[in-house]
Amino acid sequence: MIVFDTLSYLESYQGAFPEIETIISVMDRSLPYDQLPGRYDTPEKSEVRYIIDECLSSDKGFDSPGFEGKRVMEIVLEGEEIVSVSDSVFRLMEGRFLIYSGDEKVRRGMMFSLPVHFKAVRFIF
């Protein structure tokens, strides 16, 4: 299942993904905005982990590592990027999120028109 929506509706997906409560808590405290690129555990010590990336988009983008048996929620914090999930293409920009299976083939960091610096967080759950 792929979910592509705006952050204002994130709370409405808690019934399908209980981990969203933890993600909302992390985002409400602006942790990913303030932290440097890297891997982090959530302060709630839940099963949810997150990775912050800062990249420059390009015409070809780059393959994203898989997270077998997990789900991934990607949120662009600054800038924008095109993400391809098993041949479905999504334009992520501030205020949007994408949830997909960690088993999918994912290509990230593709540019829309010109290369753009972007910062994104990926929650793994």
Side-chain angles (χ1 to χ4, degrees), residues 22-92:
T22 300
I23 294 168
I24 290 171
S25 175
V26 169
M27 293 299 292
D28 281 350
R29 287 179 276 175
S30 297
L31 295 177
Y33 292 96
D34 299 334
Q35 293 170 314
L36 296 174
R39 294 175 176 264
Y40 297 90
D41 293 328
T42 57
E44 291 77 13
K45 303 297 182 207
S46 71
E47 294 296 315
V48 179
R49 307 283 182 258
Y50 61 102
I51 302 167
I52 299 172
D53 299 310
E54 288 192 56
C55 305
L56 183 65
S57 62
S58 66
D59 59 341
K60 292 185 171 60
F62 53 89
D63 289 331
S64 183
F67 299 97
E68 191 173 318
K70 301 285 187 180
R71 286 188 207 94
V72 179
M73 174 188 289
E74 182 160 354
I75 302 170
V76 170
L77 306 171
E78 299 171 9
E80 64 181 46
E81 70 169 319
I82 305 292
V83 177
S84 171
V85 180
S86 296
D87 300 323
S88 294
V89 178
F90 304 91
R91 183 177 178 193
L92 285 175

Side-chain angles (χ1 to χ4, degrees), residues 1-14 16-17 20 23-24 27 33 71-77 81 83 85 90-100 120-123 125:
M1 170 193 325
I2 295 175
V3 177
F4 181 56
D5 208 339
T6 60
L7 287 174
S8 60
Y9 292 108
L10 182 59
E11 194 171 314
S12 67
Y13 292 94
Q14 286 186 35
F17 308 105
I20 285 180
I23 294 168
I24 290 171
M27 293 299 292
Y33 292 96
R71 286 188 207 94
V72 179
M73 174 188 289
E74 182 160 354
I75 302 170
V76 170
L77 306 171
E81 70 169 319
V83 177
V85 180
F90 304 91
R91 183 177 178 193
L92 285 175
M93 58 190 80
E94 295 175 47
R96 304 293 312 233
F97 72 90
L98 178 65
I99 300 174
Y100 53 88
V121 60
R122 286 175 294 146
F123 289 94
F125 56 97

Side-chain angles (χ1 to χ4, degrees), residues 100-119:
Y100 53 88
S101 169
D103 297 319
E104 300 283 350
K105 181 180 178 199
V106 177
R107 190 153 192 84
R108 302 178 54 230
M110 293 178 282
M111 64 186 189
F112 180 68
S113 58
L114 296 173
V116 174
H117 171 267
F118 68 93
K119 182 175 183 179

